[in-house]
Amino acid sequence: MSDLLDSTSLFGATPLRTLVQGITGGEGSYWTEQMLAYGTNVVAGCTPGKGGQRIHGVPVYSAVTDAINANAIDLSVIFVPARFAKGAAIEAIEAGVPNVIVLAEFVPVHDTMEILAAARANAARIIGPNCPGVVFPGRDFAGIMPGWSERLFAPGRIGVVSRSGSLGALINLNLVSAGYGQSAMLGLGGDPIVGTTFAQALQMFDADPNTDTIVLLGEVGGPMEEEAAELIPSLSKPVVAFIAGKNAPEGKKMGHAGALVSGGKGTAASKMAALTAGGAHVADSPTEIIGILQNL
Amino acid sequence: MFIEEADAKGLIAAGGVPTPPSGIAATPAAAEAVSAEIGGPVMVKAQVPAGKRGKGGGIIAAETPEATREAAEQILGMQLGEHLVERVLIEGKADIAQELYVAFLVDPATAGPLLMISAEGGMDIEEVHAGKPEAVHRASIDIRYGMGAADALNAAARITDDPNVQASLAGVLVTLYGLFRSLDAQLVEINPLAVTTAGDVVALDCKLVVDDNALFRQEGLPEQRPTGTDLELRAAEQDFLLVELDGDVGVLANGAGLTMSTMDAVTALGGSPANFLEVGGMAYKRATPALELVLSNPKVKSLLVNLCGAYARTDVIAEGLIAGWKELAPDLPVSFCIHGTGEERAQQLVRDELGVECHDLMDDAILEAIANAAGATA
């Protein structure tokens, strides 16, 4: 899926012109207010049948095509419930939105496959589903990470990419406490298949002039970490990695639908070995990450 | 959700995939009657939500109705892994000329459907693939166009030279792909898919896993026995995902990644977690029932609460925990580490209401929780 890497970059100095799908719902409205307060350039909202209103001053449209005709859009962040996520995401993709974040947990995997097929056909980037979104400290955020929290985020030069929002939060807290800051935090999502993989995120950070070091936070299940490990030797920047779920029992979903060790595959041990072989600095515990960064 | 073989076969048969004549029995007498009705030799197969039943003695061939009864007597009540066998499937034995392997699955590498097909069915496909990767043909399918007749014939032609079998097999592939899609399957696997001496293609087994996230639109599925420990099932009834472990440190954390990392850190620091239970995501407003679940495990000797809020507000989780703690009044030491969204208020609430000081470092909270559990046991 490397053909997606040329889609409009999430990175850069300019805040992204952001659309909020599901803006009239409780979560959509609440997080729109938080995003606006932090500096996110929310140019439009969309809820079918609710065009014409304003939410926190943002014009609401009934269809994504109406929103995009009124304002250029770089990114859509989708706050609709899981069972409606496919319709909303494909609407955004087909309207020409180049980056789409799907936050909902519990999206059926067949719906995700359809979303990602539509994205490939239209050269759009999807982040998620079941993800916390993205934060560019000092610039903007899109999703449900508290970008404004000075305990978690500070402008800096570490690129953080995580499947999990909560583990991402812990590591961000540790980074900021130790005096580091982030160029970006990308939350990829906890589902078995997601739109943006670790390998793609590594390439994005490697190409970003504001990132010096990449912190990869993986977990058990699936092949994403192994795939990323193969890419690491070709990167120009060091990668520090941590894998959650060393003690995850076989055959049990560990909170995320994608965090499942099955048939002896997708274990933390295999991921750590692959990342080490690829040249990543692999931390044994979340606490170790800071020490590794200090010794790079 | 894992669908037991008999139910999975019912679903694929209704969809048009040929299966042998069969019946279900919960008693040896019923098994004998089913066998007599089918006539001729049969297979008697334990029904449990797991694979590899043959290796555990859960599948027996029987030539007569009497032998079927004896086989059912052996299998019913048997423990296969963690599952008790409560029913058997009895099905007519096919005259097998060749055993094939066919599966459709969600392939994380391409984020799309994948067909796996092999002429070497009947065995564990992982073993076939490891020893002879060229024996397993893999074809990615574009979900926008599905599995067309031409794709199916091309795949079948890699498996057999017989044009009649190719046509039957291609038909089964198109039908099975349609079922993979309409059933929201993560996996539908037929191993073996038999070619009979008469040249028919028949599904002799079926492993079907339906996406839990799609159950809201799969209302017609036969009901499945829930799997898990009593505590896990009680948690599932309340929409919590709890995994019971063997240790004595009860763990409450928010979010899957942080909860797994907390479990790992407890183990790495010399302790043993009693559970995985996350109170993140939409569950963060339901900390009271989450606490009740963790504390209802008698193995728990000490409780560890590790929160790092982003979306989940730690002060809301703390309120729920404090309410639950006061209600249940457990005689148990508890250690806290709380950071992230809402941390000042959460730490203050824990201090004021429970008289407990939160640790600043996660590892310090974990070490205290481990020491408390060890002290309680000593």
Side-chain angles (χ1 to χ4, degrees), chain B residues 59-73:
Chain B
I59 300 178
I60 298 175
E63 294 293 323
T64 62
E66 295 72 36
T68 303
R69 190 190 62 233
E70 286 164 23
E73 276 167 4

PDB file of all heavy atoms in Angstrom, chain B residues 59-73:
ATOM      1  N   ILE B  59     -13.341 -37.775  17.339  1.00  0.00           N
ATOM      2  CA  ILE B  59     -13.957 -38.202  16.078  1.00  0.00           C
ATOM      3  C   ILE B  59     -13.739 -39.707  15.904  1.00  0.00           C
ATOM      4  O   ILE B  59     -12.604 -40.184  15.957  1.00  0.00           O
ATOM      5  CB  ILE B  59     -13.350 -37.432  14.878  1.00  0.00           C
ATOM      6  CG1 ILE B  59     -13.583 -35.926  15.056  1.00  0.00           C
ATOM      7  CG2 ILE B  59     -13.945 -37.925  13.562  1.00  0.00           C
ATOM      8  CD1 ILE B  59     -12.980 -35.061  13.962  1.00  0.00           C
ATOM      9  N   ILE B  60     -14.843 -40.458  15.739  1.00  0.00           N
ATOM     10  CA  ILE B  60     -14.751 -41.916  15.618  1.00  0.00           C
ATOM     11  C   ILE B  60     -15.609 -42.360  14.425  1.00  0.00           C
ATOM     12  O   ILE B  60     -16.742 -41.891  14.258  1.00  0.00           O
ATOM     13  CB  ILE B  60     -15.261 -42.618  16.912  1.00  0.00           C
ATOM     14  CG1 ILE B  60     -14.387 -42.220  18.118  1.00  0.00           C
ATOM     15  CG2 ILE B  60     -15.280 -44.141  16.747  1.00  0.00           C
ATOM     16  CD1 ILE B  60     -14.885 -42.766  19.443  1.00  0.00           C
ATOM     17  N   ALA B  61     -15.072 -43.279  13.607  1.00  0.00           N
ATOM     18  CA  ALA B  61     -15.841 -43.856  12.508  1.00  0.00           C
ATOM     19  C   ALA B  61     -16.655 -45.029  13.049  1.00  0.00           C
ATOM     20  O   ALA B  61     -16.188 -45.778  13.907  1.00  0.00           O
ATOM     21  CB  ALA B  61     -14.896 -44.329  11.405  1.00  0.00           C
ATOM     22  N   ALA B  62     -17.891 -45.189  12.561  1.00  0.00           N
ATOM     23  CA  ALA B  62     -18.741 -46.294  13.015  1.00  0.00           C
ATOM     24  C   ALA B  62     -19.431 -46.922  11.807  1.00  0.00           C
ATOM     25  O   ALA B  62     -19.989 -46.217  10.971  1.00  0.00           O
ATOM     26  CB  ALA B  62     -19.765 -45.786  14.025  1.00  0.00           C
ATOM     27  N   GLU B  63     -19.408 -48.255  11.759  1.00  0.00           N
ATOM     28  CA  GLU B  63     -19.963 -48.965  10.599  1.00  0.00           C
ATOM     29  C   GLU B  63     -21.467 -49.182  10.733  1.00  0.00           C
ATOM     30  O   GLU B  63     -22.167 -49.300   9.736  1.00  0.00           O
ATOM     31  CB  GLU B  63     -19.272 -50.329  10.441  1.00  0.00           C
ATOM     32  CG  GLU B  63     -17.783 -50.256  10.093  1.00  0.00           C
ATOM     33  CD  GLU B  63     -17.537 -49.669   8.701  1.00  0.00           C
ATOM     34  OE1 GLU B  63     -18.318 -49.939   7.777  1.00  0.00           O
ATOM     35  OE2 GLU B  63     -16.556 -48.904   8.561  1.00  0.00           O
ATOM     36  N   THR B  64     -21.955 -49.285  11.976  1.00  0.00           N
ATOM     37  CA  THR B  64     -23.360 -49.661  12.188  1.00  0.00           C
ATOM     38  C   THR B  64     -24.000 -48.723  13.215  1.00  0.00           C
ATOM     39  O   THR B  64     -23.283 -48.033  13.953  1.00  0.00           O
ATOM     40  CB  THR B  64     -23.452 -51.090  12.776  1.00  0.00           C
ATOM     41  OG1 THR B  64     -22.793 -51.082  14.060  1.00  0.00           O
ATOM     42  CG2 THR B  64     -22.780 -52.111  11.864  1.00  0.00           C
ATOM     43  N   PRO B  65     -25.336 -48.721  13.303  1.00  0.00           N
ATOM     44  CA  PRO B  65     -26.005 -47.929  14.348  1.00  0.00           C
ATOM     45  C   PRO B  65     -25.538 -48.314  15.759  1.00  0.00           C
ATOM     46  O   PRO B  65     -25.368 -47.441  16.615  1.00  0.00           O
ATOM     47  CB  PRO B  65     -27.486 -48.249  14.135  1.00  0.00           C
ATOM     48  CG  PRO B  65     -27.591 -48.566  12.672  1.00  0.00           C
ATOM     49  CD  PRO B  65     -26.316 -49.277  12.327  1.00  0.00           C
ATOM     50  N   GLU B  66     -25.289 -49.605  16.006  1.00  0.00           N
ATOM     51  CA  GLU B  66     -24.841 -50.035  17.338  1.00  0.00           C
ATOM     52  C   GLU B  66     -23.458 -49.453  17.628  1.00  0.00           C
ATOM     53  O   GLU B  66     -23.181 -48.966  18.730  1.00  0.00           O
ATOM     54  CB  GLU B  66     -24.780 -51.576  17.430  1.00  0.00           C
ATOM     55  CG  GLU B  66     -26.128 -52.281  17.303  1.00  0.00           C
ATOM     56  CD  GLU B  66     -26.705 -52.239  15.879  1.00  0.00           C
ATOM     57  OE1 GLU B  66     -25.921 -52.313  14.902  1.00  0.00           O
ATOM     58  OE2 GLU B  66     -27.940 -52.081  15.743  1.00  0.00           O
ATOM     59  N   ALA B  67     -22.582 -49.528  16.622  1.00  0.00           N
ATOM     60  CA  ALA B  67     -21.232 -48.973  16.801  1.00  0.00           C
ATOM     61  C   ALA B  67     -21.301 -47.457  16.988  1.00  0.00           C
ATOM     62  O   ALA B  67     -20.497 -46.869  17.715  1.00  0.00           O
ATOM     63  CB  ALA B  67     -20.362 -49.314  15.590  1.00  0.00           C
ATOM     64  N   THR B  68     -22.293 -46.825  16.359  1.00  0.00           N
ATOM     65  CA  THR B  68     -22.486 -45.378  16.529  1.00  0.00           C
ATOM     66  C   THR B  68     -22.834 -45.065  17.978  1.00  0.00           C
ATOM     67  O   THR B  68     -22.319 -44.115  18.572  1.00  0.00           O
ATOM     68  CB  THR B  68     -23.611 -44.875  15.598  1.00  0.00           C
ATOM     69  OG1 THR B  68     -23.285 -45.218  14.258  1.00  0.00           O
ATOM     70  CG2 THR B  68     -23.791 -43.369  15.731  1.00  0.00           C
ATOM     71  N   ARG B  69     -23.726 -45.912  18.558  1.00  0.00           N
ATOM     72  CA  ARG B  69     -24.117 -45.684  19.950  1.00  0.00           C
ATOM     73  C   ARG B  69     -22.883 -45.785  20.856  1.00  0.00           C
ATOM     74  O   ARG B  69     -22.664 -44.957  21.731  1.00  0.00           O
ATOM     75  CB  ARG B  69     -25.178 -46.704  20.380  1.00  0.00           C
ATOM     76  CG  ARG B  69     -25.795 -46.371  21.746  1.00  0.00           C
ATOM     77  CD  ARG B  69     -26.666 -47.495  22.275  1.00  0.00           C
ATOM     78  NE  ARG B  69     -25.868 -48.688  22.477  1.00  0.00           N
ATOM     79  CZ  ARG B  69     -26.153 -49.887  21.965  1.00  0.00           C
ATOM     80  NH1 ARG B  69     -27.235 -50.045  21.232  1.00  0.00           N
ATOM     81  NH2 ARG B  69     -25.361 -50.915  22.195  1.00  0.00           N
ATOM     82  N   GLU B  70     -22.067 -46.819  20.609  1.00  0.00           N
ATOM     83  CA  GLU B  70     -20.862 -46.999  21.437  1.00  0.00           C
ATOM     84  C   GLU B  70     -19.899 -45.820  21.277  1.00  0.00           C
ATOM     85  O   GLU B  70     -19.317 -45.347  22.253  1.00  0.00           O
ATOM     86  CB  GLU B  70     -20.148 -48.304  21.053  1.00  0.00           C
ATOM     87  CG  GLU B  70     -20.870 -49.535  21.556  1.00  0.00           C
ATOM     88  CD  GLU B  70     -20.399 -50.819  20.859  1.00  0.00           C
ATOM     89  OE1 GLU B  70     -19.259 -50.820  20.329  1.00  0.00           O
ATOM     90  OE2 GLU B  70     -21.168 -51.787  20.845  1.00  0.00           O
ATOM     91  N   ALA B  71     -19.764 -45.352  20.039  1.00  0.00           N
ATOM     92  CA  ALA B  71     -18.878 -44.198  19.807  1.00  0.00           C
ATOM     93  C   ALA B  71     -19.404 -42.975  20.544  1.00  0.00           C
ATOM     94  O   ALA B  71     -18.647 -42.228  21.182  1.00  0.00           O
ATOM     95  CB  ALA B  71     -18.771 -43.919  18.311  1.00  0.00           C
ATOM     96  N   ALA B  72     -20.731 -42.781  20.478  1.00  0.00           N
ATOM     97  CA  ALA B  72     -21.336 -41.621  21.148  1.00  0.00           C
ATOM     98  C   ALA B  72     -21.150 -41.727  22.658  1.00  0.00           C
ATOM     99  O   ALA B  72     -20.935 -40.731  23.346  1.00  0.00           O
ATOM    100  CB  ALA B  72     -22.809 -41.519  20.780  1.00  0.00           C
ATOM    101  N   GLU B  73     -21.240 -42.968  23.193  1.00  0.00           N
ATOM    102  CA  GLU B  73     -21.016 -43.163  24.635  1.00  0.00           C
ATOM    103  C   GLU B  73     -19.617 -42.712  25.033  1.00  0.00           C
ATOM    104  O   GLU B  73     -19.409 -42.128  26.089  1.00  0.00           O
ATOM    105  CB  GLU B  73     -21.198 -44.646  25.002  1.00  0.00           C
ATOM    106  CG  GLU B  73     -22.653 -45.006  25.246  1.00  0.00           C
ATOM    107  CD  GLU B  73     -22.887 -46.521  25.290  1.00  0.00           C
ATOM    108  OE1 GLU B  73     -21.911 -47.294  25.216  1.00  0.00           O
ATOM    109  OE2 GLU B  73     -24.074 -46.906  25.387  1.00  0.00           O
TER     110      GLU B  73
END
